[in-house]
Amino acid sequence: MNSKRPVNLDLGKFHFPLPAITSILHRVSGIIIFVGVAFMLYGLQLSLSGEEGFSQVSELLNSFFAKLIIWGIMSALLYHLVAGIKHLLMDMGVAEELESGRVAAKITIAVSVVLIVLAGVWIWA
């Protein structure tokens, strides 16, 4: 056995290309959406339970922390949508080359940032 092999990988030494980062973020945003839907469904169930439940949810949704959580879920949803469209286009043969993949990743980030900022303005307006 070779004793010079590393025992633990230093993840700080790895530098992923932008298309890989956008792909990983697409998966992470899907997980955030999955967890966020559970909270949103609970709020929906509570608001439909009666007038008192609706009042509770209404008061809760006016708090800063709730708006921040909703903005986080919306951000994940918007990023997941844009990255999903990019992946669909790649499945159709668009932007499969190395350079066009980098450009598509930059466009994905730019469009997502614009949509996320607009969602924040809409939520806090």
Side-chain angles (χ1 to χ4, degrees):
M1 179 181 260
N2 187 357
S3 63
K4 294 182 182 180
R5 293 178 56 181
V7 176
N8 295 318
L9 292 176
D10 184 11
L11 295 178
K13 290 183 180 180
F14 290 103
H15 297 286
F16 295 106
L18 188 59
I21 293 170
T22 58
S23 182
I24 292 167
L25 287 175
H26 185 239
R27 292 180 176 111
V28 169
S29 67
I31 294 168
I32 292 170
I33 293 167
F34 181 77
V35 172
V37 164
F39 289 107
M40 301 300 275
L41 286 175
Y42 174 73
L44 178 64
Q45 184 267 332
L46 184 62
S47 71
L48 294 176
S49 66
E51 191 174 324
E52 183 179 321
F54 183 81
S55 297
Q56 287 177 342
V57 172
S58 182
E59 289 175 18
L60 178 68
L61 290 179
N62 287 326
S63 71
F64 175 79
F65 188 64
K67 287 183 180 185
L68 186 65
I69 290 173
I70 291 171
W71 184 56
I73 295 170
M74 285 279 295
S75 298
L77 183 63
L78 290 169
Y79 179 81
H80 197 76
L81 173 71
V82 173
I85 291 170
K86 180 191 80 133
H87 281 289
L88 285 174
L89 290 172
M90 289 177 67
D91 287 343
M92 292 188 298
V94 178
E96 287 185 325
E97 298 80 25
L98 183 61
E99 190 56 37
S100 60
R102 288 182 186 140
V103 171
K106 289 177 185 177
I107 291 171
T108 300
I109 296 291
V111 170
S112 296
V113 166
V114 169
L115 290 175
I116 289 168
V117 168
L118 288 174
V121 169
W122 180 60
I123 289 171
W124 274 292

